Amino acid sequence: MSDNTNKTANTAGWRGALSGPLEAVRTHWDRAPGWERWAVYVLLIIGALFLPYEGLAPVMSPESAWSTILFYPIGIYVLLALGLNVVIGYAGMLDLGYVAFWAIGAYTMATMAVKHGIGFWPLLPCGIVLAAVSGVILGAPTLRLRGDYLAIVTLGFGEIVRKVAENTNWLGGTRGINNIPHPPSHEGVWFAGVDLFTYKIRDARPYYYLLVAVIVLVVIFSKRLEASRIGRSWTAIREDEDAAEIMGVPTFKFKLLSFATGAAIGGAAGVVFAAKTSYVAPANFPFLLSATILAAVVLGGAGNIPGVIVGAFLVAWLPERFRGLADYRDLAFGAILVAMMIFRPEGLIPSRQRKAEMAEGGGGMGHMGAEIDTSGSEAEVGSR
Amino acid sequence: MLLELKDVHVHYGKIEALKGVSLQVDEGEIVSLIGGNGAGKTTTLKTISGLRSCSSGSVFFEGADIGSMPGHRRVLAGIGQAPEGRGIFPGMSVHENLLMGAYARKDDHSKELAEAYELFPRLAERRSQAAGTMSGGEQQMLAIGRALLSKPKVLLLDEPSMGLAPMLVQQIFSIIEEINRRGTTILLVEQNAQQALRLAHRAYVLETGRIVRSAPASELLDDPQVRAAYLGGDVGGGDTGDTAGAEGEAGKVALGKTAPETGKADGEDAPDAE
């Protein structure tokens, strides 16, 4: 591994300036004992809990309510990026319609709560399962495609879900669904000046804490998956799908599992989002958002959870922070993304493994070179 | 009969890549499949390992039709492959790559792991290095070693000499021979016909999706047509002819004996050819 790091640093030259101290930290972290890791985890969670502190607001977001943007976009982006990371970072499949699963979660909450009076807590698992099932339904016929073919199909799926929502009266059409109930409140549990479990319209902080809890669970879940046999199968599929198959990895099954897992996380984000905003409409789920979440994952470092979280935070926060630049902020944001891809294409905090994949020339993005896997289906062959 | 293809047709879209390929591999053999670019060599291997499905015809392994068996189950059945272009996992370390070879196995694989490191001491030196940063030859060794971890009954090798220096080719081929001597049947696909024919017991010549010749390897080494097409012809004049003739003799003699001795004879002859 260290050989590779040196090689990358040499070839990258001044581009690798950022990587020096970061690599030292990484090396230290890789050897860190268990207690040190846990101490850092606990500190990070405590840090996240104190993030809505009002004193930070003038620095972090002088122009909009800090605790509100902490929930959306920042928190939601982080959760979505973690979900998309399972698909892109772990299994190496390019999904351009990820926002659809978020929409499915949100609409599950909206329709079931408004029309059938079901509460938030029973709907959270419902939204997760429905999103996962829709992931399987989308995945089963399309996961035989690879690379950019898969990207196009998922892009289409994202648009289909949005269009269906726009054109279905039962789903509220373009006007969407109003008056989605908040999660049930339990008053009187105070933390740092916040009534923790009181979910009202005014204070965004309890929702933020709810989101932090979901994110922590998702991070633990992702980490466990990554280290498991499933995680190894995903790595193998990402690095060489054919080789994985002839090693005995049931590639199709594991690709489907990755798709469903990512979708489930998106669904969870959707349910929480709908319960907070109490209003969902198709306009909330544009293609641009799928692209933004993808940018967050790639910018931060696909496959590496700290990287993905930092990437999502930056992608969500920078445009809010520089609201003052009004018309130019998207331009500035775009320039930052382009600069990133020139100077640090592997992402801010890449996983070492992906870095090695990129050094080898695979792009670290699975098989972007499109090839249609025809085993089992002759119909697809004809379309080539 | 360990492995048998019967009239296999494979299509890529409307293009027919294999037009009725039939071949047999017996237990303990080294069978070579030679042919030029686009002849269908790799497609044949992919069909056997299950990465491609045949549009008609059938694949038998140990007497059972495995035509509809997905690729990941054929590994358990005993078909191991070192794919074209090496197909190693670049981001994983050498050791992790080898362990992936044993992915499908539930039993203890420590013996095969030790064997892979023994056959390729180079891999042991590079144990924790990312596989993608190794040289082509080392990657080829890793691909073969990894395939051995699945404890295959038949090992499919797709152009193990591709892009390697002649010295390294010699080395890899002698290791392939050693693997065969230890009891693994080998189906070897090669463009480097000279080397492949010297190593193999029998060979098939594939041309644009059809088997055009099938004979003991030594016979093909002698055959003027095959020599013209795949062995650089008579460009070298009498010299080459003599060498090839001698090779043919050695091969013929060896064919009558057991496999290990064939290996020995080839090993001794190898330096002369260069």
Side-chain angles (χ1 to χ4, degrees), chain A:
Chain A
M1 271 306 179
S2 67
D3 277 4
N4 170 50
T5 318
N6 291 339
K7 187 181 143 205
T8 318
N10 288 339
T11 50
W14 50 276
R15 293 177 178 183
L18 209 153
S19 60
L22 204 63
E23 280 306 319
V25 174
R26 289 291 292 277
T27 310
H28 176 75
W29 180 251
D30 284 345
R31 294 182 195 139
W35 64 266
E36 191 183 328
R37 293 182 180 220
W38 279 105
V40 171
Y41 294 148
V42 170
L43 281 176
L44 282 175
I45 294 173
I46 292 175
L49 293 183
F50 281 99
L51 211 51
Y53 174 59
E54 280 306 315
L56 285 174
V59 188
M60 299 301 282
S61 100
E63 272 146 90
S64 36
W66 171 232
S67 60
T68 305
I69 72 162
L70 257 184
F71 176 85
Y72 184 86
I74 295 176
I76 291 287
Y77 276 26
V78 167
L79 187 51
L80 289 176
L82 285 170
L84 188 58
N85 182 48
V86 173
V87 182
I88 291 184
Y90 292 167
M93 296 182 291
L94 189 50
D95 181 354
L96 288 181
Y98 186 65
V99 79
F101 302 119
W102 184 43
I104 286 167
Y107 269 97
T108 307
M109 176 69 198
T111 51
M112 292 297 137
V114 171
K115 296 178 201 293
H116 302 286
I118 306 173
F120 169 79
W121 290 108
L123 281 179
L124 185 58
C126 284
I128 292 172
V129 169
L130 261 178
V133 167
S134 60
V136 170
I137 291 172
L138 167 66
T142 56
L143 285 182
R144 293 184 195 285
L145 302 175
R146 293 182 187 181
D148 33 15
Y149 288 94
L150 178 65
I152 299 286
V153 173
T154 52
L155 189 154
F157 176 73
E159 286 303 285
I160 288 170
V161 167
R162 196 169 58 83
K163 284 285 171 194
V164 166
E166 260 175 26
N167 294 295
T168 310
N169 286 334
W170 190 70
L171 294 173
T174 44
R175 279 172 295 115
I177 297 176
N178 281 319
N179 298 322
I180 303 167
H182 297 295
S185 295
H186 297 280
E187 284 171 40
V189 186
W190 292 79
F191 169 82
V194 184
D195 197 354
L196 262 191
F197 302 111
T198 304
Y199 301 104
K200 293 275 165 56
I201 195 155
R202 271 196 315 246
D203 195 350
R205 287 173 297 181
Y207 299 100
Y208 167 73
Y209 288 130
L210 178 63
L211 205 49
V212 168
V214 177
I215 289 171
V216 168
L217 288 177
V218 166
V219 167
I220 294 171
F221 180 60
S222 299
K223 272 308 226 192
R224 302 294 302 169
L225 274 178
E226 195 185 342
S228 72
R229 192 174 160 85
I230 297 171
R232 268 187 299 138
S233 316
W234 284 341
T235 307
I237 290 169
R238 178 181 80 220
E239 296 194 355
D240 193 325
E241 195 175 330
D242 279 349
E245 179 80 18
I246 57 177
M247 293 299 112
V249 178
T251 51
F252 182 71
K253 204 173 94 190
F254 278 114
K255 280 162 79 180
L256 206 54
L257 181 67
S258 141
F259 229 65
T261 309
I265 295 170
V271 175
V272 176
F273 174 77
K276 152 78 169 66
T277 57
S278 80
Y279 165 73
V280 295
N284 288 347
F285 312 104
F287 162 69
L288 191 63
L289 195 58
S290 291
T292 308
I293 302 298
L294 173 65
V297 173
V298 175
L299 176 82
N304 194 31
I305 289 177
V308 167
I309 292 176
V310 168
F313 181 89
L314 290 178
V315 164
W317 172 67
L318 283 177
E320 294 294 335
R321 178 63 186 81
F322 297 104
R323 226 166 234 287
L325 298 173
D327 296 346
Y328 297 103
R329 65 183 180 135
D330 280 347
L331 184 68
F333 180 59
I336 290 172
L337 286 183
V338 171
M340 272 299 302
M341 289 301 106
I342 295 172
F343 297 121
R344 216 174 153 74
E346 70 271 29
L348 284 173
I349 317 177
S351 79
R352 288 196 154 162
Q353 191 153 352
R354 287 199 80 109
K355 233 170 137 182
E357 289 166 31
M358 288 200 93
E360 195 261 353
M365 187 59 85
H367 283 265
M368 296 296 288
E371 189 195 334
I372 296 180
D373 174 17
T374 50
S375 54
S377 162
E378 293 305 318
E380 281 159 13
V381 181
S383 68
R384 193 164 175 187

Side-chain angles (χ1 to χ4, degrees), chain B residues 177-234:
Chain B
E177 202 156 37
E178 174 65 25
I179 292 169
N180 175 253
R181 196 174 307 165
R182 294 183 186 186
T184 308
T185 308
I186 287 172
L187 177 56
L188 172 72
V189 154
E190 260 301 339
Q191 281 208 49
N192 189 339
Q194 182 111 14
Q195 294 279 359
L197 289 179
R198 235 183 276 138
L199 179 73
H201 306 139
R202 287 193 303 119
Y204 293 88
V205 180
L206 201 58
E207 246 171 45
T208 56
R210 280 193 188 88
I211 301 270
V212 291
R213 283 291 304 270
S214 110
S218 52
E219 236 170 73
L220 290 179
L221 260 176
D222 266 346
D223 187 289
Q225 261 183 312
V226 172
R227 284 166 41 75
Y230 302 105
L231 301 175
D234 288 321

Side-chain angles (χ1 to χ4, degrees), chain B residues 94-115:
Chain B
V94 167
H95 192 66
E96 286 167 333
N97 261 281
L98 289 175
L99 291 184
M100 275 311 292
Y103 177 91
R105 291 176 60 185
K106 303 259 187 303
D107 55 336
D108 181 40
H109 56 255
S110 53
K111 186 174 153 275
E112 283 75 23
L113 188 63
E115 196 178 6

Side-chain angles (χ1 to χ4, degrees), chain B residues 13-90:
Chain B
K14 282 179 185 133
I15 300 158
E16 194 173 27
L18 295 188
K19 303 161 183 166
V21 168
S22 300
L23 61 83
Q24 288 128 25
V25 181
D26 276 321
E27 205 158 341
E29 273 188 315
I30 301 182
V31 174
S32 182
L33 196 58
I34 60 172
N37 283 326
K41 306 187 298 293
T42 296
T43 306
T44 309
L45 282 201
K46 281 187 169 176
T47 311
I48 298 170
S49 61
L51 292 176
R52 285 273 159 204
S53 50
C54 34
S55 18
S56 69
S58 38
V59 183
F60 292 95
F61 184 65
E62 292 187 309
D65 189 345
I66 57 166
S68 57
M69 189 189 269
H72 59 267
R73 292 236 214 89
R74 298 191 192 187
V75 189
L76 275 176
I79 299 178
Q81 186 181 357
E84 187 192 26
R86 287 136 209 162
I88 46 116
F89 302 113

Side-chain angles (χ1 to χ4, degrees), chain B residues 148-200:
Chain B
L148 287 179
L149 260 284
S150 70
K151 211 177 169 185
K153 289 172 186 148
V154 60
L155 179 60
L156 313 178
L157 298 171
D158 199 345
E159 305 222 14
S161 76
M162 190 166 71
L164 301 187
M167 276 293 287
L168 215 48
V169 175
Q170 289 292 339
Q171 202 186 331
I172 296 251
F173 272 57
S174 63
I175 292 173
I176 292 171
E177 202 156 37
E178 174 65 25
I179 292 169
N180 175 253
R181 196 174 307 165
R182 294 183 186 186
T184 308
T185 308
I186 287 172
L187 177 56
L188 172 72
V189 154
E190 260 301 339
Q191 281 208 49
N192 189 339
Q194 182 111 14
Q195 294 279 359
L197 289 179
R198 235 183 276 138
L199 179 73

